[in-house]
C-alpha cells in the first residue's frame, strides 16, 4: 500500500509539473494604427495598407492642450482638420496634454478643463459623424503633476459614457509606486522613446531592447490592463560640439550614407560632417555628428515577444505608430501582418 501511495503521489506531482510547463494560449490581439497628423486625409497607400492588414481601429489625435502664457490658462492647439470622413473605422480620439499645463493649472480649475476637453472632443465628433468607442489622454506626467493629472482623469470619466484610457511610459511602469497608476479603464504602453535623444552616448532613443529590458520585468505586477503601441517611425539626431542640435524627421541611415560630405563612423548609424555645407534644410558645420535611428523588423518582432511574455492582459489592442505612407513603404505587408497577429 505504501508503494502504491508513493507512486500515485509521484505521478500527481509529474502531472502537475507538466501542467505548469505547458505553453500558455496566445494572447488575442486587436490590430490598430495611430493617426498623428493635423489633417485627416489618408492617401491611397495608407488606405490600401489598412485594408490589407484588416485594420478597423484608429487612434486619432484630435488636438493638444497646452498652457497659454498670455491668457494664463490652458488652451487647445493644433486641432485636427478632416478632409475625409473616417467612415468604416472605430475611432478613439486622443488628446495630448503637456506636462507644463498641469504644472501651471490651479487645482480648482481642473473640473472646468475636463468639461472644455470633453466639449471639444464632442464637437469634433459630431461634426464628422464619429461615435467614439474610447477616449484616450496622452501625457508624460511627473511626480509633481500626478495629483492634478489623476484628478483631471477622474473628472473626464464623468463626462463620457465610453471608457477612458491613458498612455503609459516604461518608466511609469517600473516606478509605479512613485508615479502612480492612473484612474482609467486601460493603459496604452508606449513601447518607444526609450532613452534620452539629447544625450550623445545614446545608441537609439526610439527603440533599444537592452534599455527596454530594464523595465519589462515590472509589467507582470502592473495592475492596470495594458494595450501596446510599437514604433515604425525614424529620425536622425544631430549634435554640434557634443550637444544636441536638432532632429531630422524621416531622414534615414541610407540617406546619410548617400551624402558625400558625411563620413560613416565605425558605428554604422553615426556620421560626421567633413566640411561646412547646407543640407536637410540645415546649415551644417564641419564635425557635426549625425545619428540615424530606426526600428529594424527583427528587433520589433523580438520586442513584441518580450512584451507578450510579460504582460498579463489576455485581450489587448496592438497598435503601430503611426499611419504615414513614408513609413509604411519601409515595411512590407508580410512583416506587418506578422507583427500585428498573435504569436503562434
Amino acid at each position: 500500500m505504501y508503494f502504491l501511495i508513493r507512486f500515485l503521489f509521484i505521478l500527481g506531482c509529474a502531472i502537475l509539473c507538466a501542467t505548469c510547463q505547458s505553453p500558455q494560449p496566445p494572447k488575442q490581439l486587436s490590430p490598430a494604427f495611430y493617426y498623428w497628423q493635423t489633417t485627416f486625409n489618408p492617401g491611397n497607400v495608407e488606405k490600401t495598407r489598412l485594408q490589407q492588414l484588416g485594420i478597423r481601429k484608429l487612434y486619432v489625435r484630435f488636438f493638444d492642450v497646452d498652457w497659454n502664457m498670455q491668457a494664463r490658462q490652458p488652451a487647445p492647439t493644433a486641432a485636427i482638420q478632416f478632409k475625409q470622413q473616417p467612415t468604416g473605422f472605430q475611432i478613439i480620439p486622443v488628446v495630448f496634454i503637456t506636462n507644463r499645463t498641469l504644472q501651471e493649472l490651479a487645482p480648482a480649475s481642473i473640473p472646468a478643463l475636463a468639461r472644455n476637453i470633453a466639449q471639444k472632443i464632442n464637437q469634433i465628433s459630431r461634426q464628422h459623424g464619429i461615435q467614439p468607442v474610447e477616449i484616450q489622454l496622452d501625457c508624460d506626467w511627473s511626480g509633481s503633476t500626478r495629483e492634478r493629472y489623476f484628478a483631471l482623469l477622474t473628472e473626464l470619466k464623468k463626462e463620457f459614457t465610453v471608457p477612458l484610457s491613458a498612455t503609459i511610459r516604461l518608466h511609469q511602469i517600473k516606478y509605479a509606486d512613485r508615479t502612480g497608476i492612473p484612474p482609467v479603464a486601460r493603459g496604452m504602453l508606449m513601447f518607444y522613446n526609450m532613452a534620452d535623444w539629447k544625450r550623445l552616448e545614446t545608441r537609439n532613443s526610439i527603440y533599444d531592447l537592452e534599455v527596454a529590458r530594464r523595465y519589462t520585468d515590472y509589467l507582470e505586477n502592473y495592475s492596470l490592463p495594458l494595450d501596446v503601441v510599437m514604433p515604425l517611425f525614424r529620425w536622425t539626431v544631430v549634435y554640434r560640439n557634443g550637444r544636441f542640435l536638432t532632429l531630422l524627421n524621416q531622414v534615414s541611415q541610407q540617406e546619410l550614407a548617400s551624402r558625400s560630405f558625411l563620413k560613416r563612423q565605425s558605428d554604422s548609424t553615426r556620421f560626421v560632417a567633413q566640411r561646412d555645407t547646407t543640407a536637410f534644410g540645415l546649415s551644417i558645420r564641419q564635425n557635426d555628428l549625425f545619428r540615424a535611428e530606426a526600428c529594424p523588423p527583427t528587433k520589433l518582432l523580438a520586442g513584441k515577444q518580450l512584451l507578450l511574455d510579460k504582460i498579463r492582459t489576455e485581450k489587448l489592442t496592438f497598435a503601430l505608430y503611426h499611419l504615414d505612407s513614408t513609413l509604411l513603404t519601409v515595411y512590407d505587408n508580410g512583416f506587418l501582418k506578422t507583427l500585428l497577429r498573435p504569436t503562434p
Side-chain angles (χ1 to χ4, degrees):
M1 178 65 70
Y2 168 80
F3 292 106
L4 177 60
I5 294 173
R6 181 171 178 80
F7 171 76
L8 292 175
F9 173 78
I10 294 173
L11 179 62
C13 289
I15 293 172
L16 179 62
C17 184
T19 302
C20 293
Q21 295 177 352
S22 62
Q24 296 296 314
K27 290 182 168 58
Q28 299 180 40
L29 305 186
S30 174
F33 261 93
Y34 273 75
Y35 193 93
W36 211 257
Q37 301 184 54
T38 55
T39 301
F40 188 86
N41 191 30
N44 291 332
V45 172
E46 290 94 343
K47 291 177 181 178
T48 300
R49 285 298 186 97
L50 289 173
Q51 184 177 18
Q52 291 171 338
L53 296 170
I55 305 294
R56 310 309 306 166
K57 183 185 293 186
L58 295 178
Y59 289 80
V60 179
R61 189 202 64 85
F62 269 30
F63 56 92
D64 301 341
V65 176
D66 200 1
W67 186 257
N68 186 306
M69 297 300 293
Q70 288 72 36
R72 302 296 301 165
Q73 63 182 15
T77 63
I80 193 168
Q81 302 295 316
F82 284 85
K83 287 195 173 181
Q84 299 180 38
Q85 300 304 314
T87 55
F89 293 99
Q90 283 187 333
I91 299 296
I92 295 90
V94 183
V95 175
F96 173 74
I97 182 168
T98 64
N99 197 45
R100 74 171 180 174
T101 297
L102 298 169
Q103 290 170 338
E104 299 286 346
L105 187 67
S109 300
I110 290 173
L113 176 58
R115 288 193 298 272
N116 291 338
I117 290 174
Q119 288 171 6
K120 185 73 173 176
I121 291 172
N122 291 333
Q123 176 191 13
I124 295 173
S125 298
R126 284 194 303 268
Q127 287 176 346
H128 303 285
I130 297 169
Q131 295 183 328
V133 296
E134 175 187 330
I135 305 294
Q136 187 170 99
L137 264 287
D138 180 16
C139 179
D140 189 7
W141 76 92
S142 62
S144 63
T145 59
R146 163 183 165 176
E147 288 188 12
R148 272 168 281 184
Y149 181 52
F150 288 6
L152 175 63
L153 293 174
T154 299
E155 292 296 325
L156 276 169
K157 286 195 295 185
K158 301 175 185 177
E159 301 290 334
F160 297 102
T161 58
V162 297
L164 189 67
S165 64
T167 56
I168 311 290
R169 276 73 174 172
L170 280 170
H171 71 90
Q172 292 161 346
I173 296 286
K174 182 173 181 178
Y175 302 109
D177 57 333
R178 300 182 206 168
T179 62
I181 297 175
V184 292
R186 300 182 73 86
M188 175 63 79
L189 176 60
M190 300 171 64
F191 201 61
Y192 54 87
N193 291 352
M194 297 175 178
D196 187 353
W197 40 267
K198 291 186 177 181
R199 294 172 63 89
L200 184 65
E201 59 269 28
T202 295
R203 292 176 302 183
N204 187 332
S205 65
I206 298 175
Y207 190 80
D208 187 331
L209 287 181
E210 185 174 322
V211 173
R213 288 189 179 93
R214 302 172 194 167
Y215 300 89
T216 49
D217 283 346
Y218 296 86
L219 287 168
E220 295 172 308
N221 297 319
Y222 198 70
S223 60
L224 194 65
L226 289 174
D227 300 307
V228 171
V229 53
M230 296 191 74
L232 298 181
F233 64 95
R234 62 185 184 271
W235 60 35
T236 288
V237 193
V238 187
Y239 300 87
R240 179 168 294 164
N241 299 324
R243 296 184 177 182
F244 169 77
L245 180 64
T246 190
L247 279 175
L248 302 175
N249 282 312
Q250 305 289 15
V251 175
S252 67
Q253 177 181 323
Q254 292 73 22
E255 187 166 357
L256 295 179
S258 70
R259 301 299 180 112
S260 60
F261 68 89
L262 291 175
K263 182 178 180 180
R264 188 193 302 263
Q265 291 191 321
S266 56
D267 177 349
S268 62
T269 65
R270 294 176 182 244
F271 299 77
V272 176
Q274 302 300 294
R275 64 179 187 273
D276 293 354
T277 187
T278 300
F280 313 117
L282 180 68
S283 180
I284 295 166
R285 295 180 186 175
Q286 186 177 5
N287 295 323
D288 283 353
L289 186 140
F290 295 70
R291 185 182 69 229
E293 298 185 353
C295 307
T298 54
K299 292 186 178 181
L300 287 173
L301 290 174
K304 168 193 172 182
Q305 189 58 56
L306 175 65
L307 286 170
L308 296 186
D309 287 344
K310 297 293 184 180
I311 287 178
R312 295 185 303 169
T313 313
E314 294 299 323
K315 296 180 180 180
L316 63 152
T317 296
F318 198 89
L320 300 177
Y321 183 90
H322 61 106
L323 188 67
D324 184 285
S325 60
T326 58
L327 300 178
L328 293 175
T329 53
V330 177
Y331 302 96
D332 63 57
N333 260 4
F335 163 71
L336 292 178
K337 286 180 179 179
T338 301
L339 184 61
L340 288 166
R341 72 184 178 211
T343 303

